[in-house]
Amino acid sequence: MSNNDYFWTEEIAASIRRIGLTKGAQSEFGLIKFVDVPVEGQKMALDMPLVAIEAEKMVQELDSPLAGELVNVNTDLADNPELLNADNEKDAWIADIRISDN
C-alpha cells in the first residue's frame, strides 16, 4: 500500500479539502496508540510529512497527499489517538487544508 493509499480526501468548502485515514490504512496499522498531529497554519508541500502514527503493527510518518495551508487540525487526536480507529472512515479525519493552485 503506498502512502497516498492511506488517505481519503473530501471537499468540504471551496478549495478546502479534509484529509483522513482510510479503512485500509486502519487495517494495515492495527490499533492506533499515538498521533503526532500537525500544526494549524502550517504550510504543506506535496509529500511533506503530515502526521506521525504509532500503532500496534507499525510506526509510520505519513506524507501529505495535498499542498496548501492547514486551516483546521483535529487536535483531539493528540489525547485520543483511537479516534483514527473509527468505524466510520469519515470520523477518522486528520486535518483540513486550503489547497494551493501550484
Side-chain angles (χ1 to χ4, degrees):
M1 188 176 252
S2 81
N3 217 3
N4 286 338
D5 294 333
Y6 292 140
F7 296 116
W8 55 263
T9 61
E10 175 183 36
E11 183 173 4
I12 59 169
S15 60
I16 306 281
R17 303 290 184 279
R18 177 157 284 178
I19 301 170
L21 202 63
T22 65
K23 293 300 271 181
Q26 290 174 350
S27 176
E28 186 172 323
F29 293 174
L31 185 65
I32 296 169
K33 301 174 181 182
F34 173 80
V35 179
D36 184 10
V37 295
V39 178
E40 190 171 313
Q42 183 177 354
K43 303 277 190 205
M44 299 299 304
L46 192 62
D47 296 328
M48 177 179 167
L50 172 67
V51 65
I53 294 175
E54 183 177 321
E56 62 187 356
K57 295 181 184 176
M58 64 178 22
V59 175
Q60 183 85 26
E61 190 171 75
L62 302 176
D63 296 336
S64 179
L66 301 170
E69 179 183 354
L70 296 176
V71 294
N72 187 24
V73 172
N74 189 353
T75 55
D76 290 340
L77 295 175
D79 293 326
N80 302 295
E82 66 275 2
L83 293 172
L84 287 184
N85 298 313
D87 288 334
N88 181 347
E89 187 176 78
K90 297 300 181 191
D91 291 334
W93 70 281
I94 297 165
D96 298 335
I97 190 169
R98 179 179 293 115
I99 57 172
S100 54
D101 294 332
N102 46 0

